[in-house]
Amino acid sequence: MRTRIALLLVLIFTFAGCSSDSDRDVYEEPMPLGSLGTNVRPHEYSLSLNIQPEQAEFSGMARIAISIEKATTKIWLHGQDLQVNSVAFTQGEKTFIGSYEQANRLGVSSVSFSTPVSGSGDLQFSYTAPFSKSSSALHSIEENEEYYVFSQMQAIDARRVFPGFDDPQFKTAYSVEVTSADKNVVIFNTPVTKEVAGDEDNIRHIFATTKPLPTYLLAFAVGPFDIYEWDNLPKTELRDYEVPLRAIVTKGKRDKAEYALRNTQPLLEELENYFGTPYPYEKIDLIAHPQFGGAMENPGAIVYGEQGLLVDEDSTPATLQWYYGVHAHELAHMWFGNVVTPHWWEDIWLNESFASWLAAKAAHAVRPDLAIDTVQQKFSLGAINQDSTAASRQIQQPVRDNAEIGKTFDSVTYNKGAAVLAMVEAFVGEDRFRDGVRHHIQRFEHSVATSSQFFESMAAGSNEPRLQQVLQSFVEEVGAPTVDVEVSCSDDGAKLTATQSRYRPLGAKFPVDTIWQLPLCYKTEDSEACELISEEKTEIELASCPDYLMPNARSAGYYRWNLDADSWAKLLANRDALSVSELVNLSDSSTSAFKAGKLKSGAYVDILRALAKHENYEVASSVGDVLQKLRLSLLDGEATEDYRIFVEDMYAPRLTELRMEHSSDDSPMTRLDRRDTIDLMAMEAESERVIEILGKLGREHISAIEAGDEANSMPDDWINVALRGTAINADYDLLVRMEDMALSTSDQMLRDRMLYALSKSKDTKYIEHMFTELLFDERLSGHDRARMIVFMFPHNRDLQDRSFDFLVDNTDLVTEGIGGLFKHYTASAANQFCNESQRQKAANFFAGAEEKIPGITRAANQSLEMIDQCIALRNANSEEFKRAISAERTDVADLD
């Protein structure tokens, strides 16, 4: 929609000194679809907002101090869905009236003048805007008949809150004031300096001027919040000042924030010690959002989904992993992202990769018992699946259009980038790598930096020029390496032959001749070594013929690997010599070799059986993580009798040892192990006895909730799996009771659990009800509706097609619940498809989806490729896999 507002003021001044002598001297710039030009630069913002959460819109006035290098009649900037009432450029007493126009749907806008303007002055706006319907920009929510406003500006939603230069290259100071009803608390990035009573029971809250920030880091929260004032974080050897710490929660939830507050200090100090500099902002507010799925690193006002923030000592280990991992991630951003900001969105990996990698390091240091380092390792290994399509991209992907920005927020940015940083750190050493990081932060403090500047900083700070070669190689190349390793022994000695290429699973059609600067770290029974390989084939002399060779020592490298049959057998036979991270890596590379057609089904199944019975939870769970995917792809979702016996053979003895009993003395890993083993026995082995027990527990829990006495009705770890086990065999009436709980509660955790359980239903009457009534129920938030269609239903083979048809018929309804940044994730609704008719259905939808879902094209192409890969794997290996899981365990080498 294009809107034009003619703006008339009583006095119109002519500023002859800013006019050019002739029209040919006027600078004309084409509409910038991506990054803004630099002819006009913002230097400071003053914002005055009136936010009343119960209303449909808010109003504002914005003054932006700018400088215009070349005289122009049009200033390009950003503003989306704003009703601009007036705009003018002022220089002292002179005023130039402007005409505002939104030029495209993503908020590229312009202010035009009748005469050329140049030099320094103020651009001033008066405007109103609607609250967003999703969890983006400024959005209003209702909870227990109270209204609250939250903000989410990243990546390009600040332009829906105020007109400005919504481009990260422009970091400026912000002076902000917010007017709201006196019953409301108002939160911003900085502390309040003054509060002034206004008319109609309003209060004007005036905040301290910020340090230089990009637009996407501004944050607002307005409403009748409860505030938990924690003790100031004390001074340290690095920091000679205290840091105020608070939690901001919706009414009645104050005490639930105690754990998050109490455990912030150790994480923050771990990060301060790593960077060697103190926390750089005035305060820390932890804002709990009832309907937010992630977190956002706004300096001084970090927003979290409340289910991951309002935790306690008795929360499940998985919930605590989320709290420590995500909390550390957001705090790490204070330096990487906030103090040093990417110049443009193609460099956003510098934010997210670094925060993901360092968060795992810091959180593991604080809570090693939660194995958060292994959680991040699995995320990084999983990124290779996305990286194994022709539609994949570079870590540093050029962004030429605003519509492409959202696509940079994916597993390649977060988890591949984190894996590459971990690999380079292992290659050059922790101390030298940290020295490079500190040099970069000092070099660009409160400024912006590009990837190339980061590479330079790291090489100079670490005094290791090869670091730059490796980083650039992995950041700039598309895809993931695979290394085929062969060990040969003779009278003349032993050698390792490593052949690198791009990893390509069956069904993929992209070329494989990419060569990386690859740190290959390998391990034998006698030694561990690293070699930087830069050719397709590299021969490395070994000291002796090894009993085994692990091609990715410490799981440090971002690559997959494959061995000859004899070496696979030797490695598996010596698995007790491998670390947990190496065994998890072995599990991943065996799956990748199987999917690439390089490892036979029998050998692969032997590996699965051996690792599933490993005593360590993280190792055993690496097998559990792939079983559902194997069933969906190779068995068309059917849990055949042979498959059920196969799973039961692996996990029934484990459950017998763990027992279906809860003990307060259990370690976090034991609790996770028991939970996941019960889940596998119910959902994959379909054990009647386990499902019967879960059904009984689930019904008791539901009745306890209805009676208002759910506390201690069962171990918290078991609730999700018990509810899923209940839903599988539940009748229509029980499923409707579960639905009513989900829709009537203000507890996001309970709502998530009930909706996820309902997605496992097999009751045909209730399934019909879900698609004709539940998904249209006004009590179901847009966020929850989108998650059900895109992420829950596709994993139930009985719901896949019906769910996708709903998306096709109700695209706007589904996508309105997804923030603008993440709308391209809609393509994930087809990721579990695995036959030609489903592929055609997905292709038909994606063909016209870009108009409604900007930026979906790459994600859609990846989804279609994943379907192709699934079909190819099924065609090549389904029958062989069925025979393998029905057979007795055999020797790996015999089945190659």
Side-chain angles (χ1 to χ4, degrees):
M1 179 181 70
R2 296 171 67 92
T3 58
R4 178 174 293 276
I5 303 170
L7 305 168
L8 302 176
L9 298 181
V10 175
L11 297 176
I12 299 178
F13 296 87
T14 301
F15 186 22
C18 284
S19 302
S20 54
D21 294 332
S22 64
D23 288 342
R24 69 174 179 271
D25 294 327
V26 174
Y27 179 71
E28 295 184 3
E29 182 182 4
M31 182 173 74
L33 297 178
S35 184
L36 294 172
T38 58
N39 186 54
V40 181
R41 286 184 172 275
H43 300 287
E44 186 178 3
Y45 287 74
S46 294
L47 302 177
S48 178
L49 303 181
N50 189 305
I51 300 174
Q52 308 295 342
E54 66 277 5
Q55 296 182 2
E57 62 180 22
F58 61 96
S59 62
M61 299 184 68
R63 180 185 63 78
I64 313 171
I66 64 171
S67 59
I68 306 170
E69 181 178 351
K70 300 176 182 177
T72 184
T73 57
K74 180 175 287 189
I75 294 174
W76 290 105
L77 73 173
H78 298 110
Q80 184 172 346
D81 301 331
L82 306 178
Q83 180 67 36
V84 175
N85 303 313
S86 64
V87 60
F89 177 64
T90 62
Q91 291 179 313
E93 296 182 354
K94 301 184 184 300
T95 300
F96 298 83
I97 307 309
S99 175
Y100 171 85
E101 178 184 21
Q102 181 176 327
N104 74 3
R105 62 183 178 178
L106 293 178
V108 177
S109 300
S110 65
V111 176
S112 300
F113 300 94
S114 59
T115 58
V117 293
S118 66
S120 298
D122 291 340
L123 198 56
Q124 300 186 47
F125 297 84
S126 172
Y127 65 97
T128 59
F131 288 121
S132 171
K133 294 182 179 180
S134 65
S135 297
S136 58
L138 275 186
H139 51 280
S140 177
I141 69 168
E142 180 186 1
E143 182 177 274
N144 297 328
E145 300 182 350
E146 299 280 6
Y147 289 86
Y148 302 86
V149 163
F150 298 88
S151 67
Q152 170 59 28
M153 306 296 195
Q154 195 183 51
I156 55 171
D157 284 316
R159 63 192 64 181
R160 297 165 64 189
V161 179
F162 57 92
F165 298 79
D166 195 12
D167 184 327
Q169 68 173 307
F170 301 120
K171 292 182 74 171
T172 73
Y174 293 81
S175 298
V176 171
E177 59 181 52
V178 176
T179 298
S180 191
D182 57 8
K183 68 177 182 178
N184 291 327
V185 173
V186 179
I187 306 296
F188 180 59
N189 302 80
T190 55
V192 170
T193 59
K194 189 177 182 181
E195 293 182 338
V196 180
D199 56 359
E200 299 180 357
D201 296 322
N202 284 319
I203 294 179
R204 184 161 55 98
H205 305 260
I206 303 170
F207 296 91
T209 301
T210 71
K211 294 180 180 180
L213 296 176
T215 49
Y216 78 84
L217 286 176
L218 265 62
F220 300 90
V222 180
F225 293 103
D226 286 346
I227 298 180
Y228 197 144
E229 299 265 3
W230 196 252
D231 293 339
N232 287 356
L233 299 182
K235 298 177 182 179
T236 66
E237 291 184 5
L238 273 174
R239 177 168 30 82
D240 62 1
Y241 51 90
E242 296 180 345
V243 178
L245 174 64
R246 306 184 300 180
I248 315 299
V249 299
T250 54
K251 273 191 174 180
K253 300 175 184 177
R254 177 187 178 279
D255 291 344
K256 294 182 178 181
E258 180 176 345
Y259 186 93
L261 291 165
R262 178 158 33 90
N263 290 282
T264 295
Q265 181 178 340
L267 288 173
L268 184 69
E269 291 181 2
E270 189 72 27
L271 293 165
E272 287 179 317
N273 290 334
Y274 185 85
F275 288 107
T277 56
Y279 175 74
Y281 297 102
E282 297 93 333
K283 66 180 176 75
I284 300 176
D285 284 342
L286 309 180
I287 303 172
H289 190 319
Q291 297 179 15
F292 194 51
M296 181 61 205
E297 65 267 19
N298 315 299
I302 311 173
V303 178
Y304 299 83
E306 72 171 25
Q307 67 271 30
L309 185 70
L310 305 185
V311 302
D312 57 36
E313 295 283 1
D314 296 324
S315 294
T316 68
T319 300
L320 293 177
Q321 285 175 333
W322 194 99
Y323 164 75
Y324 281 99
V326 174
H327 197 17
H329 180 107
E330 305 312 319
L331 290 173
H333 271 310
M334 299 303 128
W335 289 267
F336 246 93
N338 297 4
V339 168
V340 181
T341 302
H343 183 271
W344 177 238
W345 295 107
E346 62 198 17
D347 293 314
I348 192 62
W349 75 273
L350 289 172
N351 284 21
E352 303 302 346
S353 300
F354 199 92
S356 297
W357 166 77
L358 186 55
K361 181 187 285 286
H364 183 69
V366 173
R367 283 294 302 267
D369 59 320
L370 290 172
I372 295 169
D373 56 340
T374 306
V375 173
Q376 182 56 51
Q377 179 195 4
K378 289 184 177 182
F379 285 156
S380 293
L381 291 171
I384 301 180
N385 295 324
Q386 179 179 335
D387 218 12
S388 303
T389 63
S392 187
R393 61 176 185 82
Q394 303 161 285
I395 293 178
Q396 185 195 21
Q397 177 68 30
V399 175
R400 299 180 179 87
D401 191 300
N402 285 299
E404 298 173 351
I405 292 172
K407 294 180 288 187
T408 63
F409 288 83
D410 60 8
S411 191
V412 169
T413 288
Y414 285 78
N415 298 317
K416 176 180 179 177
V420 170
L421 293 174
M423 176 177 65
V424 175
E425 182 200 35
F427 179 56
V428 303
E430 287 188 76
D431 291 346
R432 297 172 79 179
F433 188 86
R434 185 195 60 223
D435 291 343
V437 170
R438 290 179 174 182
H439 177 64
H440 184 67
I441 295 295
Q442 293 165 5
R443 186 181 173 202
F444 295 100
E445 184 177 13
H446 293 300
S447 186
V448 297
T450 64
S451 292
S452 60
Q453 290 169 326
F454 173 70
F455 300 150
E456 294 166 0
S457 295
M458 293 299 292
S462 67
N463 197 29
E464 173 52 88
R466 293 185 302 171
L467 182 152
Q468 184 168 355
Q469 299 172 25
V470 176
L471 272 175
Q472 282 188 273
S473 175
F474 277 83
V475 168
E476 296 173 0
E477 293 289 359
V478 177
T482 187
V483 182
D484 289 294
V485 176
E486 183 177 351
V487 177
S488 57
C489 301
S490 67
D491 294 339
D492 296 329
K495 67 178 180 180
L496 176 162
T497 302
T499 305
Q500 66 161 306
S501 60
R502 183 178 176 185
Y503 173 69
R504 182 173 65 186
L506 296 170
K509 298 179 175 62
F510 51 78
V512 298
D513 56 354
T514 306
I515 303 299
W516 285 264
Q517 299 288 322
L518 192 155
L520 177 71
C521 295
Y522 57 93
K523 169 183 172 179
T524 69
E525 69 275 15
D526 296 324
S527 63
E528 180 180 320
C530 292
E531 297 282 346
L532 184 62
I533 63 174
S534 56
E535 303 293 336
E536 178 185 1
K537 181 175 288 189
T538 304
E539 293 186 352
I540 301 170
E541 298 295 327
L542 300 176
S544 61
C545 191
D547 291 341
Y548 72 89
L549 186 137
M550 170 58 184
N552 197 342
R554 293 173 287 148
S555 189
Y558 183 75
Y559 56 87
R560 283 174 165 165
W561 47 269
N562 183 44
L563 296 167
D564 58 84
D566 184 56
S567 295
W568 269 117
K570 288 181 177 179
L571 183 60
L572 193 62
N574 288 275
R575 59 187 176 275
D576 289 345
L578 302 183
S579 67
V580 168
S581 65
E582 289 166 342
L583 287 166
V584 171
N585 190 275
L586 186 158
S587 177
D588 175 77
S589 278
S590 66
T591 298
S592 69
F594 173 69
K595 291 168 66 176
K598 294 181 178 181
L599 187 64
K600 297 291 187 180
S601 293
Y604 178 52
V605 166
D606 281 356
I607 292 171
L608 293 179
R609 283 183 168 130
L611 296 182
K613 296 178 181 180
H614 195 277
E615 64 181 5
N616 182 276
Y617 160 71
E618 297 106 295
V619 177
S621 66
S622 70
V623 176
D625 292 343
V626 303
L627 287 178
Q628 183 193 56
K629 298 172 185 175
L630 293 172
R631 174 171 55 80
L632 288 171
S633 60
L634 296 172
L635 305 178
D636 195 24
E638 181 184 358
T640 63
E641 181 179 2
D642 284 338
Y643 175 78
R644 294 196 301 271
I645 294 171
F646 167 62
V647 177
E648 188 168 347
D649 174 66
M650 291 189 291
Y651 288 98
R654 194 177 197 91
L655 185 55
T656 299
E657 183 177 347
L658 289 165
R659 304 182 311 279
M660 288 189 70
E661 299 174 6
H662 175 74
S663 170
S664 58
D665 295 330
D666 288 336
S667 69
M669 292 302 103
T670 297
R671 293 171 63 186
L672 286 171
D673 200 351
R674 183 183 292 112
R675 181 204 66 180
D676 288 0
T677 303
I678 293 172
D679 191 47
L680 287 166
M681 288 295 293
M683 302 300 163
E684 299 303 319
E686 295 186 355
S687 165
E688 292 181 2
R689 175 60 178 155
V690 173
I691 292 174
E692 180 185 352
I693 294 171
L694 292 177
K696 180 176 181 294
L697 289 171
R699 284 173 170 82
E700 289 175 352
H701 185 67
I702 291 166
S703 296
I705 293 173
E706 291 174 330
D709 188 30
E710 71 271 25
N712 301 317
S713 66
M714 81 170 84
D716 203 35
D717 308 42
W718 299 14
I719 295 176
N720 277 332
V721 66
L723 291 174
R724 293 199 297 273
T726 301
I728 288 175
N729 293 327
D731 60 19
Y732 178 83
D733 291 339
L734 179 57
L735 293 166
V736 169
R737 285 167 60 194
M738 295 170 68
E739 175 187 307
D740 286 340
M741 288 180 191
L743 298 180
S744 61
T745 184
S746 61
D747 183 336
Q748 180 69 42
M749 182 73 77
L750 175 60
R751 182 162 59 251
D752 287 349
R753 285 170 167 167
M754 289 296 176
L755 292 177
Y756 188 34
L758 292 172
S759 75
K760 302 300 180 183
S761 170
K762 296 182 178 180
D763 185 89
T764 55
K765 181 180 178 182
Y766 184 72
I767 290 174
E768 181 67 23
H769 165 82
M770 279 199 296
F771 288 103
T772 57
E773 297 183 49
L774 170 60
L775 290 170
F776 295 102
D777 195 305
E778 292 183 355
R779 295 173 295 169
L780 186 70
S781 73
H783 173 70
D784 288 331
R785 181 185 299 108
R787 288 192 307 123
M788 294 171 76
I789 292 296
V790 176
F791 297 114
M792 294 183 190
F793 291 169
H795 290 276
N796 183 338
R797 185 65 185 85
D798 297 328
L799 302 182
Q800 280 182 355
D801 290 289
R802 186 73 181 270
S803 176
F804 198 83
D805 292 343
F806 185 91
L807 171 63
V808 172
D809 295 338
N810 302 276
T811 304
D812 291 341
L813 181 66
V814 174
T815 58
E816 74 176 13
I818 306 175
L821 175 63
F822 299 109
K823 286 190 185 296
H824 64 285
Y825 279 107
T826 307
S828 300
N831 283 359
Q832 306 305 319
F833 283 177
C834 199
N835 62 51
E836 293 292 349
S837 64
Q838 288 180 324
R839 189 195 190 283
Q840 188 60 53
K841 179 187 296 189
N844 291 342
F845 172 68
F846 293 147
E850 182 69 31
E851 182 65 27
K852 286 189 173 182
I853 311 172
I856 197 176
T857 300
R858 176 180 284 117
N861 290 338
Q862 284 188 311
S863 183
L864 293 175
E865 288 187 76
M866 292 171 69
I867 299 171
D868 290 338
Q869 291 174 18
C870 185
I871 293 171
L873 180 65
R874 178 181 293 180
N875 291 341
N877 287 347
S878 179
E879 294 305 316
E880 184 183 85
F881 181 77
K882 291 176 183 177
R883 291 194 298 271
I885 62 175
S886 67
E888 295 293 327
R889 189 176 191 280
T890 57
D891 183 77
V892 175
D894 292 343
L895 284 168
D896 185 72

